[in-house]
Amino acid sequence: MRKNREIKLIFILVSVFFAGFLAVPVISVILKSFTGDGNSPSLSHYAEVLTGRGFLTAFGNSILISVCSALVTTILAFILAYAVHYTNLGRRYKWLISKAAILPMLLPTITYGFAIIYSFGKQGLLTRLFGRQLFDIYGFNGLLLGYVVYTLPIAFTLIHNAMGYIDKRFMVVSRLMGDSPLRTFRMTILIPLLGTLATSFIQTFFLCFTDFGIPASVGGRFEVVASVLYTEMLGSVPDFGNGAVVALVMMIPSIVSITVLHVLEKYNVRYNKISPIELKKGKKRDAVFGALSGAIIICTLSIFLVMFIVPFIEEWPYRMEFTMEHVQAVFEDRQLYGVYLNSLMVAAATALVGTILSYGAALVTARSTVSGKLKKVIDSIALVTNTIPGMVIGLAYLFVFTGTPLQNTFPIIIVCNIVHFFSTPYLMMKNSLSKMNASWETTAMLMGDNWFKTIVRVVTPNALSTLLEVFSYYFVNAMVTVSAVIFIAGTRTMVITTRIKELQYFNEFNEIFVLSLLILLTNLVARAVFRKLAQMSKRKENIVDMKKIRKMSLKRVAVFTLAAAVTVSGAGLTGCGGGSSEDQVIIYSNADEEAITAMENALDSNGYEGKYVFQTFGTSELGGRLLAEGADIEADMVTMSTFYVESAQEQNSMFQELSFDVDTTDEFEPYCAPITSQEGTIIVNTEMMEENNLPMPESIADLGDPVYKGFVSVTDISASSTAWLLVQALVSEYGEDGAKDVLAGIYENVGDHLEDSGSAPLKLVRAGEVAIGFGLRQQAVADKEDGLPIDYIDPAEGNFSLTESVAVVDKGDDTNPLAMEMAQCIIENGREELQSYYPNALYNGETTDAANKSTNPKVFPEKLTVDLLKQHEALSEEAKEAAGM
């Protein structure tokens, strides 16, 4: 009875934690899904999403690819785990398998797509080594490869851990009874592992089902539901209501998984004693599993070989000279040290608190006699956390905690990580505790020990290796995650993966690989430390002498927890100073690297050096923050696409009127002043054009010529405002019906290369994946001047433009007075340098440099508004349907 009271207390603490940090945010998403215009209850979002073009197809694609990936991953993970536990392969080889299998987990998933492109793409490292492209990396093939590599460490960890608790003596008994090898395998290995194998399948299924990063890079025309969610939540016109519907639909398969796991729970096997035995000799078995495991490891790790080569090449694949320039550029970043320490602190705190929470939850479900209903509650919590995409959790936290003391703080990032990654650690602990002798607590109670002492002295020492695995899992994943924290990490609480996200926006892929290697090194060192602690603390897991156990010192059990707590405290004291100081002006911006540099030069040369800090975002990401956070946003000043600034002001009334005069050639709202005018153009890879005997296009309409089929990349207007420049040009020149016809032809040629990111077409042109793209003119100009085989063609339809403006956030008494001064400084002192990259004149008295001026600059006759963008999105969707996309 006393044990149940203590268990129930743990259950209450776990339940309260997830009620506040899972249930409430999820409920906020649910309410968003049922909220129509004017905040009135409505089913309009459901009708729009479920009847929308392509949604059901994307949902079916997600199920298909996730099932295939989960099945392949579970089989491969089983082969690796079997080679370690049930063969006589050399000890060193088994050690290599165990370590290599989890290596991809030590890298940020944001780099997976880049690694696949730079390895298997048309100009990839492995493509060059083999002399030909091995397979088409876009669509089903690329997703399958990426998902398997992504989830293999998780599946292997689960199966490997569970195999360690199977008593191998039953294999001997089975053979003595005359069972066939197949029956022995089924009865002594497969059935005891059935629950774990199902767990592995379900876990990897949902990791694939909810991932967006890999589809964004190599998904091609094989659209998945996570891409739909990204488009709704973070597209060029974010629709949080539609996004909430997509998020809820993505959780439907969790109902099936709960049922499956419930049915398979009865197959969990407990052993009173686990004894090592000498495995039966089998040269064929060892040869087969040795070869299979070796092939799996080589194929997996070869994808990441490019990360160790490309950063040390001047410009892959065009200038192949060795250089340390990219590495130096990363480590010369003055913010890197603080951001890195922040990451360490967040990872350590996440691991410590997450391990304690997972252990407590697993004790309730695996080592107690409480009601089955209470156990199902925690199992359901684990499944729910596994089914919610990270970016949905991040956005839900954005909705719920904006304006509270938790906004943009380390605690909310730590809590988010714990919730996001809870499922696997909990299942690891549950599987481990379930395999232990069920009578330990009863025996200890008869010997006079209470439940708490039994857990500390008996259960915990036997679970210590799993506890360390859980700690390691949380630490590593907190170091590599980005999907959720991108929405809740502020400038002062930035972590290293959000820095990688910034570099992605600037197309700095060499620097991304360098930072990824830094994270890899950190995680390797961390895991080495955890392994050493495990070796120092580990006790034989088949101890049954209760009198001996009762004499174990509590100090030994507490060593790891105390060391972790000291690590967290020390890192926390250091990491908190890693961001910007409280009095610095925080500037949120979607500007390109050239614009950021120009603005920094203007501020530094006019006395503001060290008094500000920039944080950059993709246009849609920053737009989502502006619309969701309003005046509660961390930023003091924003530079952003003008139509987004106007929409945010209309919705949230969040900007101050400018206190200085703005003499613009066109009329702008009194709360914003333009800083740049960005133009679109056709971008070509001159080497690919020559190799494939392609004629140079002269207009956007030319991109629909069948001769370019498979060689073109453009952005999708539903996900990126860069595509709006292309659509504006077509509508202006050919009218809406003509524009739709031209777009349909372009989409047919684009195929798998209709991208969600405005910088993606240039990235693909630069990497030699396509020959032609449509993107931002100044980026192509910079690449050409840098000597790359990149050129640009100003289209006959004209170079249309989007302006970006500066605005000061109105925070009432908390408004930073320097923000307005810096906005004025940028306008009055930064325009000259800005015009060297963005030539269009915006202010009276400015002239455009003839050498840098676009051939045919044009302005769309209608005012650019969110409503007009939605109208053009609808036109694009009709063109996709006509193209069969």
Side-chain angles (χ1 to χ4, degrees):
M1 183 66 68
R2 177 179 176 83
K3 178 179 72 172
N4 279 346
R5 287 201 300 269
E6 291 164 334
I7 281 287
K8 287 178 180 177
L9 177 60
I10 295 175
F11 172 80
I12 290 171
L13 293 175
V14 172
S15 298
V16 168
F17 176 85
F18 282 102
F21 295 109
L22 178 62
V24 171
V26 168
I27 289 172
S28 75
V29 174
I30 294 174
L31 292 177
K32 282 280 184 185
S33 73
F34 288 102
T35 303
D37 296 335
N39 293 325
S40 59
S42 172
L43 293 175
S44 60
H45 295 302
Y46 285 88
E48 187 174 346
V49 170
L50 297 179
T51 61
R53 190 190 67 81
F55 175 76
L56 294 179
T57 300
F59 187 83
N61 287 345
S62 289
I63 296 290
L64 174 63
I65 188 62
S66 298
V67 167
C68 294
S69 301
L71 183 62
V72 172
T73 300
T74 301
I75 292 173
L76 295 182
F78 180 85
I79 291 172
L80 294 175
Y82 188 93
V84 172
H85 288 277
Y86 289 96
T87 69
N88 289 315
L89 296 171
R91 181 177 300 178
R92 291 184 178 179
Y93 189 66
K94 290 183 177 182
W95 178 89
L96 177 63
I97 293 173
S98 300
K99 303 311 172 189
I102 63 169
L103 197 61
M105 191 173 70
L106 309 183
L107 287 162
T109 56
I110 194 173
T111 63
Y112 280 43
F114 308 144
I116 291 174
I117 292 173
Y118 276 81
S119 294
F120 294 102
K122 293 178 181 177
Q123 300 293 331
L125 174 63
L126 296 180
T127 299
R128 286 174 164 248
L129 289 177
F130 285 98
R132 57 183 293 271
Q133 188 171 20
L134 300 179
F135 56 90
D136 185 3
I137 64 173
Y138 298 100
F140 186 90
N141 294 338
L143 289 176
L144 182 65
L145 174 62
Y147 284 154
V148 169
V149 173
Y150 168 40
T151 57
L152 184 61
I154 311 301
F156 173 77
T157 300
L158 285 169
I159 299 172
H160 173 60
N161 184 68
M163 276 189 178
Y165 289 96
I166 293 179
D167 194 338
K168 297 179 177 61
R169 292 178 305 161
F170 288 94
M171 298 178 65
V172 178
V173 175
S174 178
R175 289 196 295 267
L176 291 175
M177 293 178 65
D179 290 342
S180 66
L182 183 60
R183 178 175 172 80
T184 298
F185 170 78
R186 183 171 65 87
M187 297 299 297
T188 65
I189 300 176
L190 190 59
I191 290 180
L193 278 176
L194 198 57
T196 301
L197 293 174
T199 298
S200 170
F201 179 88
I202 292 170
Q203 180 81 339
T204 53
F205 173 89
F206 281 113
L207 285 173
C208 300
F209 192 80
T210 60
D211 178 70
F212 167 75
I214 296 172
S217 299
V218 295
R221 297 179 66 174
F222 194 86
E223 189 173 30
V224 293
V225 73
S227 300
V228 177
L229 176 62
Y230 180 87
T231 300
E232 296 291 356
M233 288 287 200
L234 293 174
S236 54
V237 183
D239 191 324
F240 299 130
N242 284 4
V245 173
V246 177
L248 294 177
V249 171
M250 290 179 71
M251 295 172 61
I252 291 176
S254 66
I255 300 173
V256 177
S257 68
I258 292 172
T259 304
V260 172
L261 287 180
H262 177 71
V263 171
L264 293 176
E265 183 70 24
K266 63 183 180 181
Y267 290 103
N268 280 335
V269 179
R270 295 176 183 263
Y271 296 100
N272 294 328
K273 189 176 182 181
I274 300 173
S275 303
I277 65 167
E278 184 176 348
L279 293 171
K280 182 180 178 181
K281 293 182 178 180
K283 292 184 179 179
K284 291 183 178 179
R285 174 201 63 196
D286 294 349
V288 169
F289 279 92
L292 287 175
S293 59
I296 293 169
I297 295 302
I298 291 173
C299 291
T300 300
L301 298 187
S302 65
I303 297 173
F304 301 102
L305 179 63
V306 69
M307 293 177 54
F308 297 87
I309 297 176
V310 170
F312 302 97
I313 300 298
E314 187 172 345
E315 186 63 49
W316 181 277
Y318 308 109
R319 296 196 293 263
M320 304 294 286
E321 294 80 10
F322 175 82
T323 180
M324 291 293 293
E325 180 181 344
H326 306 300
V327 178
Q328 292 173 355
V330 171
F331 288 97
E332 287 174 357
D333 183 350
R334 60 188 178 186
Q335 293 185 13
L336 176 62
Y337 178 72
V339 169
Y340 180 65
L341 289 179
N342 287 348
S343 295
L344 291 179
M345 185 276 291
V346 167
T350 297
L352 178 60
V353 180
T355 299
I356 294 173
L357 187 71
S358 302
Y359 189 35
L363 286 173
V364 174
T365 55
R367 306 295 300 184
S368 76
T369 57
V370 297
S371 166
K373 292 182 179 179
L374 298 184
K375 295 181 179 181
K376 287 180 181 178
V377 169
I378 293 182
D379 284 336
S380 298
I381 288 172
L383 286 169
V384 169
T385 59
N386 194 30
T387 61
I388 301 179
M391 62 181 176
V392 174
I393 296 177
L395 283 166
Y397 278 28
L398 193 66
F399 298 148
V400 173
F401 298 109
T402 293
T404 71
L406 286 175
Q407 182 182 359
N408 299 130
T409 62
F410 287 121
I412 196 61
I413 297 174
I414 293 165
V415 168
C416 181
N417 286 337
I418 292 171
V419 172
H420 187 196
F421 299 114
F422 174 74
S423 182
T424 296
Y426 162 72
L427 292 172
M428 289 167 63
M429 287 307 318
K430 181 183 177 183
N431 287 334
S432 175
L433 294 176
S434 297
K435 301 298 183 184
M436 295 179 187
N437 193 323
S439 65
W440 280 346
E441 290 93 330
T442 303
T443 305
M445 183 177 64
L446 293 174
M447 298 176 69
D449 276 353
N450 61 34
W451 179 84
F452 179 76
K453 286 185 178 180
T454 304
I455 294 300
V456 172
R457 291 180 173 179
V458 182
V459 178
T460 302
N462 282 274
L464 195 54
S465 60
T466 305
L467 283 167
L468 284 163
E469 282 289 335
V470 167
F471 188 96
S472 175
Y473 179 88
Y474 261 125
F475 183 93
V476 167
N477 279 279
M479 283 293 296
V480 302
T481 186
V482 67
S483 60
V485 300
I486 191 65
F487 300 103
I488 56 178
T491 304
R492 296 184 176 93
T493 54
M494 184 185 293
V495 292
I496 198 166
T497 48
T498 59
R499 178 59 182 155
I500 290 178
K501 193 71 171 63
E502 286 187 286
L503 291 171
Q504 179 192 17
Y505 179 63
F506 291 139
N507 289 315
E508 301 288 354
F509 301 114
N510 292 308
E511 284 72 10
I512 287 174
F513 285 149
V514 172
L515 285 182
S516 298
L517 291 176
L518 176 61
I519 292 176
L520 174 63
L521 178 62
T522 301
N523 285 333
L524 286 173
V525 171
R527 287 189 66 87
V529 171
F530 301 146
R531 185 170 63 251
K532 186 65 176 178
L533 286 172
Q535 292 172 350
M536 293 172 59
S537 304
K538 193 173 182 180
R539 297 291 181 264
K540 291 183 179 180
E541 294 174 346
N542 61 340
I543 298 177
V544 293
D545 187 346
M546 300 303 295
K547 292 182 179 180
K548 182 177 179 181
I549 292 175
R550 292 176 69 227
K551 295 179 182 179
M552 293 179 66
S553 171
L554 293 179
K555 292 182 179 179
R556 289 183 179 272
V557 177
V559 165
F560 168 68
T561 303
L562 179 61
V566 170
T567 300
V568 171
S569 300
L573 290 174
T574 311
C576 287
S580 59
S581 63
E582 292 294 330
D583 57 349
Q584 283 181 311
V585 172
I586 304 298
I587 307 173
Y588 279 5
S589 179
N590 75 323
D592 300 310
E593 188 173 15
E594 297 85 1
I596 295 291
T597 301
M599 288 187 281
E600 287 178 337
N601 291 340
L603 293 173
D604 291 347
S605 60
N606 286 276
Y608 295 108
E609 185 173 2
K611 297 181 181 180
Y612 66 90
V613 58
F614 271 95
Q615 183 169 355
T616 55
F617 302 86
T619 301
S620 56
E621 291 169 6
L622 182 51
R625 278 184 176 264
L626 291 174
L627 296 177
E629 294 182 311
D632 291 318
I633 199 167
E634 181 192 28
D636 300 299
M637 184 170 74
V638 172
T639 77
M640 179 58 169
S641 300
T642 306
F643 76 92
Y644 259 126
V645 173
E646 293 172 348
S647 297
Q649 178 71 357
E650 181 180 351
Q651 176 176 311
N652 298 318
S653 299
M654 59 183 293
F655 298 117
Q656 286 186 339
E657 285 197 16
L658 300 179
S659 61
F660 53 92
D661 294 331
V662 178
D663 186 18
T664 55
T665 56
D666 295 319
E667 184 177 351
F668 282 81
E669 297 293 340
Y671 49 81
C672 65
I675 56 171
T676 64
S677 175
Q678 307 205 40
E679 296 178 303
T681 195
I682 299 170
I683 306 168
V684 297
N685 183 312
T686 54
E687 289 186 357
M688 283 199 69
M689 297 292 287
E690 185 177 345
E691 289 173 5
N692 294 279
N693 296 315
L694 296 174
M696 283 291 179
E698 298 179 355
S699 66
I700 298 173
D702 286 346
L703 303 186
D705 188 328
V707 72
Y708 298 120
K709 189 174 182 63
F711 290 101
V712 181
S713 176
V714 300
T715 50
D716 187 350
I717 192 173
S718 65
S720 170
S721 59
T722 301
W724 202 6
L725 300 172
L726 180 146
V727 176
Q728 286 178 40
L730 294 179
V731 172
S732 177
E733 185 71 18
Y734 308 112
E736 291 197 359
D737 290 338
K740 183 170 64 176
D741 293 338
V742 173
L743 268 179
I746 293 174
Y747 287 155
E748 287 182 7
N749 285 347
V750 164
D752 290 325
H753 298 298
L754 183 63
E755 303 294 329
D756 292 330
S757 167
S759 60
L762 174 62
K763 175 185 70 177
L764 293 174
V765 171
R766 183 187 292 165
E769 289 298 302
V770 297
I772 308 170
F774 184 90
L776 297 178
R777 188 176 188 275
Q778 75 277 359
Q779 293 179 337
V781 171
D783 274 5
K784 182 176 181 180
E785 291 180 350
D786 196 36
L788 299 182
I790 302 297
D791 204 349
Y792 53 94
I793 302 162
D794 291 332
E797 294 89 348
N799 300 92
F800 283 78
S801 61
L802 291 172
T803 61
E804 293 182 354
S805 295
V806 62
V808 176
V809 181
D810 186 356
K811 297 186 175 183
D813 294 338
D814 294 327
T815 301
N816 193 322
L818 288 178
M820 190 66 72
E821 294 180 21
M822 291 186 186
Q824 183 175 359
C825 178
I826 289 172
I827 298 302
E828 294 180 354
N829 301 291
R831 279 292 302 158
E832 182 177 353
E833 184 176 351
L834 286 167
Q835 266 200 288
S836 66
Y837 300 109
Y838 314 90
N840 290 353
L842 295 173
Y843 291 83
N844 289 318
E846 291 183 343
T847 57
T848 303
D849 181 8
N852 197 23
K853 183 179 180 180
S854 58
T855 304
N856 191 16
K858 286 188 178 181
V859 177
F860 200 71
E862 296 182 50
K863 179 178 174 59
L864 302 184
T865 64
V866 172
D867 288 338
L868 181 61
L869 179 56
K870 289 181 178 179
Q871 179 181 330
H872 287 170
E873 280 187 4
L875 184 151
S876 175
E877 291 302 311
E878 292 177 8
K880 288 181 189 176
E881 189 171 2
M885 297 184 74

